[in-house]
Each structure stands twice: as C-alpha cells, then as structure tokens.
Amino acid sequence: MGAPVSDASGAGIPLTDRAKRIFVKSFGCQMNVYDSHRMADVAAQEGYQEAATIEDADLVVLNTCHIRERASEKIYSELGKVRELREAREVAGLKTTIVVAGCVAQAEGAEILRRQPAVDLVVGPQNYHRLPQLLRAASLRSGVVDTTFPVEDKFDHLPASSPATIRSRGVSAFVTVQEGCDKFCSFCVVPYTRGAESSRSVAKVVQEIVGLARAGVREVTLIGQNVNAYHGQDEGGRAADLAHLLNVVAKIPGILRVRYTTSHPNDMSEALILAHRDNPSLAPYLHLPVQSGSNRILAAMNRKHDVGDYMDIVGRIRAVRPDIALSSDFIVGYPGESDADFQETLDLVGAVGFAASYTFKYSSRPGTPGAELKNQIDEQTKSARLLTLQQLLEDQRQAFNRAAVGRIMPVLFEKSGRHAGQVIGRSPYLQSVYAVGDAALIGAIADVEIIGVGPNSLRGRIVAPASQSLDEIQRNAAFSGEADASLRKENA
Ligand code: 5AD
Ligand code: SF4
C-alpha cells in the first residue's frame, strides 16, 4: 500500500506512492447501500481508500439493482460512462478496474461481459467477501465471474468497519440481519437474485451494532428483504424472532433508536406488533408493502394475503400504537389489472392513510411468472394510474406532515444544515426536521416543537436539551465493557 495522501485528487504525489482508491456506486435498495459499505471495508483491508469522486478511483464498483427493467438497463449506460473514464485515465497512465456487483451481476453474470467487455469482474451479492481473491484473478485475466451461492457465509468473512469509517457514514446505520426471500411474489426477481431466506445470529448482529455504537452510531435500521421473517439463532441455539432481536438491539448502550424494514404482511407476528407497544426505542414507523388493494390482483401476484388481512394488521398495530406512521409499496398495472382493481387500490389507500409510500409501474422481469402472462397492461394506462395514485399518496403525506405542526417530538440529529447554526435530524416518523442548534447536537435526541412544514421537511424549535449528548453516552460506563456482559446475559 502506498503512503496515505491528504488531498482528494492525489495531485503531485508520485503514482507509486499514491494509495489505491475505490469508488462504490450504489443503486437500488438499502441492502445495496449496506453491501456497498461492506465492499469498501473489504477493499480497505487491501489498502484501498475511499475515493471522493468516481474519476479518482482505481477500482470502480457498480453495485446494481435488478428489481425493475429501467434500473437494470441503467447499468449498461453507466458502464459505458465508466469505460470512457477508464480510457481517459489510461491516457494519464492510470489503471482502472471495473467491477459489477449486486443483483444485475447475480442475474446476468457473464452476459454483462458480453454486453460490456470493459468489465473486469462480475460478483454476486453473496460473494463479495471474496473480492481480494477475485480482484487478483481479474488482474491476471479479464472477465472473472463469481455468482455462485457459496456454502460459507459472507458475514463470517467480512472485516469490521473501522471506527473512522463508521463515523464518516453518520449516526444512523443500516445493518443487514436477514437476506433473501422464499415468498416468490409473481412479479419479483428477489428470490432469484438474493436466494433463499437466511438470518444472521443474534450474537453476530449484536457484535456488529456494539461496534457501530462505540464509534458513534445512535440509530440502527435492521434490514432484510423480509426482515420480519427473521429467525436467527440466539445464544442458546434457539430461533429468535425479530421482536426479540429488536429488544436486544435496543438495549445496546449508545443505541437510542431502532427501526426495521422491509416487512411482509404474512410475517407480521403478534410479538412484533406488541414490540411497538413495549419497546420505547422502537420507532413508531412501519413499512408494510401491500402492492395492491384488489384481492384478485393480490392472488395473481401470489401475495398469499388479501386486503382484509392487511387491514386487520393495520387495525391491530394502531390499537397498540395509535401514532404509528405507515408506509407501503404499490405496483400499478400488474397484468390483468382492471380499472375496478385499480379503484380498489385507491380505496385501500383512502382507508389506511399513509405517511409515505413508494409507487411503481409493473415491470415485466425475465424468469418471473408475471412475465409469462398474456394480459399485460399498456404503458399509457400504467402511467395514468401511477399519476393518480401518486397524487393521492402525496396528499396524504402532506396531510401527515401538516398534522405534526404544534407537536413536540424527539428528533435524532444527524448532520449540520446548509445554513450555519442549523442542524438536521429525523422525527420518530422518519420526517426530516431542521432546527437552529449547535453541531454538538449531532448524535443526540432533543425534544423539538414542530413550527413549520415545507414540501420535504419540517421546521422545528428545540424546546428541551438533548436527552443524551454524545459526550454523556461516551462517558457512560457501558462503554467500558459492562454493556457487552449484560447483553451476553440477556441473550443467554
Ligand atoms: N415491477 C414493479 N415494481 C416491482 N417491485 C418489485 N418487483 C417489481 C416489478 N417487477 C416493487 C415492489 C416491492 C418494491 C421493492 O419494488 O413494490 O415491494
Ligand atoms: Fe419480492 Fe415478494 Fe419477496 Fe418482497 S416478499 S422480496 S416483493 S418476492
């Protein structure tokens, strides 16, 4: 490894002394964000520093998303740009290695090399712990592909993120606790790209989060394609559910708030619903995709739940946590969706009232049962339905935000604002909140009165000092190791 350099460009530093740099560009979901971070951690072990810009990187990784056609196709135009970049760098005597990772890599494998021969390495989401060996192989022969589902667990082979790296990523972190999906919704590629459901053990998740908390992380979002199907082993070798894991994680010293995403309605257990009543650190927010409000379409989608089941969960969770904010994913234009089916989706949205949502036009994905269906919906109809649904959901989002005005809520401050003396954080309901306050508040929760509402954020006024400042937390005896001991007891 070369000597570290202090400026972003590395200008003026002899090439041989310049540390190698990696740039990971992440597409798609939060799990890819997490994987991107972990790939950077693996590369750090190999002497790579994170490049400030893609132009400055010796190793470019595109961590790709396959969920919809547009996301998938975008990769090829990105690769075209990266290839041009490589050619420009070559003129300057610099070598660039190009890696395609993530779900397009998994789904298309060697096809990527055929469409873009400049790619050096294609690596799937379960194999990136092998990056060092794969990069060595790719330096000897171009076009290496590793998309097997390995027997070993990548998490056992990933290096921990360094405290400095954790700090640079902020006070709120994602942690993958579950991966893969056994549900096989008929529109979705995830069961094919991410494989079968698997869960990390409680101890491994705790170990990772203790490391994050020690470096200053204050909020963790436990993520999984079907996070509420979590069934990791506890210390006694029994299967623990997500409610248990959330309770254990909430007790980790320094962790002030926990979240989880994404959930499937069929795995919304009573224990998890009750965790929203009993676990004070668990944010009152539930992302629970319903996809459609039509029972006919839900059946065609192989969702294995109907509208009644969904409404039942909404009722039960609101009974124990009346202020919970709900969000969902919706697909419009699934094959065979009639105007009446679509109207039922609008009716469901009207009946539930969502704080936020993600809406998608159905995108036919090769290899999924939905792609085989004859009664595909035309683009124009899909676009019109998308717009109507988005307008309704946007009205609901704004109404939800307006209702916050006058309320006092605990805000976890995450970063400085654009203007001096301003700090930005998140409400328990995932709303972005900015207020006048000192940067020392970053990493602490303060009570904030909401005094205004903008299109994408709330304006607040700090009314009570931070409940726990960063200093306080770091002085906390827990950081001397007592916490680990109490956690071990908790898990036993
Ligand atoms: N077309 C459109 N949207 C899709 N999603 C998954 N597969 C498709 C597809 N083929 C959406 C679902 C899912 C979210 C992550 O992406 O709404 O919940
Ligand atoms: Fe895809 Fe359905 Fe699994 Fe979600 S539950 S990842 S939509 S197959």
Side-chain angles (χ1 to χ4, degrees):
M1 180 181 134
V5 290
S6 54
D7 69 334
S9 67
I13 291 163
L15 286 184
T16 46
D17 285 353
R18 186 181 171 281
K20 295 179 289 182
R21 306 230 173 114
I22 176 173
F23 190 91
V24 188
K25 191 163 178 180
S26 206
F27 300 84
C29 67
Q30 289 152 341
M31 193 169 289
N32 267 11
V33 174
Y34 176 85
D35 289 341
S36 295
H37 285 158
R38 302 307 303 262
M39 281 189 252
D41 294 340
V42 176
Q45 252 196 342
E46 295 290 296
Y48 283 90
Q49 297 181 353
E50 288 192 46
T53 63
I54 195 165
E55 288 79 12
D56 196 33
D58 309 288
L59 174 59
V60 173
V61 181
L62 300 185
N63 194 16
T64 61
C65 173
H66 193 59
I67 198 103
R68 284 167 289 275
E69 190 182 359
R70 187 129 46 116
S72 199
E73 281 303 309
K74 195 158 136 194
I75 296 313
Y76 291 99
S77 57
E78 282 291 327
L79 280 175
K81 284 188 241 163
V82 178
R83 194 183 78 175
E84 280 172 26
L85 206 85
R86 161 143 101 183
E87 285 162 2
R89 281 172 53 91
E90 232 159 42
V91 175
L94 297 165
K95 188 176 174 320
T96 315
T97 304
I98 304 176
V99 178
V100 177
C103 293
V104 178
Q106 188 63 44
E108 298 188 5
E111 169 69 7
I112 296 172
L113 302 175
R114 200 190 55 77
R115 285 185 64 175
Q116 182 47 271
V119 171
D120 297 291
L121 168 64
V122 175
V123 58
Q126 306 308 342
N127 310 65
Y128 63 79
H129 58 293
R130 296 175 176 166
L131 263 177
Q133 302 90 293
L134 292 169
L135 285 170
R136 273 190 284 282
S139 70
L140 301 175
R141 64 176 175 95
S142 64
V144 173
V145 178
D146 187 358
T147 54
T148 52
F149 284 103
V151 282
E152 80 271 16
D153 180 357
K154 68 172 177 248
F155 292 108
D156 290 341
H157 299 269
L158 292 172
S161 315
S162 77
T165 304
I166 295 169
R167 272 191 289 279
S168 73
R169 291 172 185 165
V171 300
S172 179
F174 297 128
V175 175
T176 294
V177 302
Q178 181 278 337
E179 224 177 323
C181 181
D182 298 341
K183 298 277 188 290
F184 290 92
C185 298
S186 51
F187 51 81
C188 188
V189 288
V190 167
Y192 312 97
T193 54
R194 289 275 173 173
E197 275 176 15
S198 68
S199 299
R200 297 174 72 190
S201 70
V202 173
K204 282 185 187 153
V205 171
V206 167
Q207 186 188 24
E208 183 171 337
I209 298 177
V210 165
L212 294 174
R214 283 196 175 133
V217 165
R218 297 291 163 253
E219 174 184 88
V220 282
T221 304
L222 308 186
I223 55 175
Q225 263 94 28
N226 260 318
V227 75
N228 59 345
Y230 176 83
H231 57 272
Q233 275 198 356
D234 68 10
E235 301 271 301
R238 295 172 299 256
D241 63 8
L242 185 65
H244 175 83
L245 183 67
L246 285 164
N247 289 334
V248 173
V249 169
K251 293 198 182 86
I252 295 176
I255 295 300
L256 306 179
R257 196 181 264 176
V258 291
R259 303 179 181 276
Y260 62 98
T261 198
T262 288
S263 298
H264 189 285
N266 290 358
D267 292 312
M268 214 53 223
S269 69
E270 189 62 18
L272 186 53
I273 291 176
L274 292 180
H276 279 280
R277 181 191 68 189
D278 301 331
N279 182 344
S281 301
L282 180 56
Y285 192 101
L286 173 62
H287 182 62
L288 192 65
V290 66
Q291 314 295 358
S292 167
S294 155
N295 285 338
R296 215 174 60 82
I297 296 298
L298 287 174
M301 286 175 164
N302 193 34
R303 290 287 291 177
K304 300 199 178 88
H305 66 80
D306 62 16
V307 172
D309 299 326
Y310 190 84
M311 295 308 290
D312 179 59
I313 297 165
V314 169
R316 284 194 289 139
I317 199 148
R318 280 189 168 148
V320 300
R321 189 73 214 226
D323 65 327
I324 196 152
L326 295 171
S327 69
S328 176
D329 295 342
F330 295 92
I331 296 176
V332 298
Y334 187 76
E337 185 189 67
S338 65
D339 285 341
D341 292 318
F342 176 61
Q343 183 56 49
E344 288 184 340
T345 299
L346 298 177
D347 294 346
L348 178 140
V349 172
V352 174
F354 290 97
S357 277
Y358 302 87
T359 50
F360 310 103
K361 285 195 258 188
Y362 170 68
S363 168
S364 174
R365 307 305 291 126
T368 61
E372 307 297 317
L373 299 173
K374 294 280 165 289
N375 45 359
Q376 302 283 329
I377 305 294
D378 64 90
E379 265 315 292
Q380 224 185 340
T381 308
K382 282 189 208 172
S383 300
R385 287 180 186 164
L386 186 73
L387 199 67
T388 308
L389 180 60
Q390 282 177 337
Q391 273 166 357
L392 177 59
L393 287 164
E394 178 58 12
D395 288 348
Q396 290 193 343
R397 191 181 70 87
Q398 286 184 17
F400 182 79
N401 286 347
R402 277 196 306 274
V405 176
R407 285 187 60 188
I408 293 174
M409 44 180 86
V411 170
L412 171 61
F413 285 104
E414 293 180 356
K415 56 186 180 190
S416 295
R418 249 183 306 158
H419 304 290
Q422 213 180 49
V423 275
I424 300 184
R426 293 221 176 246
S427 79
Y429 314 104
L430 217 53
Q431 296 147 303
S432 175
V433 181
Y434 65 95
V436 171
D438 197 276
L441 279 165
I442 294 167
I445 289 184
D447 280 343
V448 174
E449 182 188 356
I450 306 302
I451 53 174
V453 50
N456 292 309
S457 58
L458 305 177
R459 189 154 55 89
R461 186 172 61 87
I462 296 169
V463 291
S467 50
Q468 239 183 332
S469 76
L470 213 60
D471 275 358
E472 244 177 274
I473 293 164
Q474 271 157 356
R475 273 196 312 262
N476 195 326
F479 277 76
S480 65
E482 280 169 34
D484 299 3
S486 72
L487 276 165
R488 275 196 296 277
K489 237 190 276 157
E490 170 71 27
N491 286 332

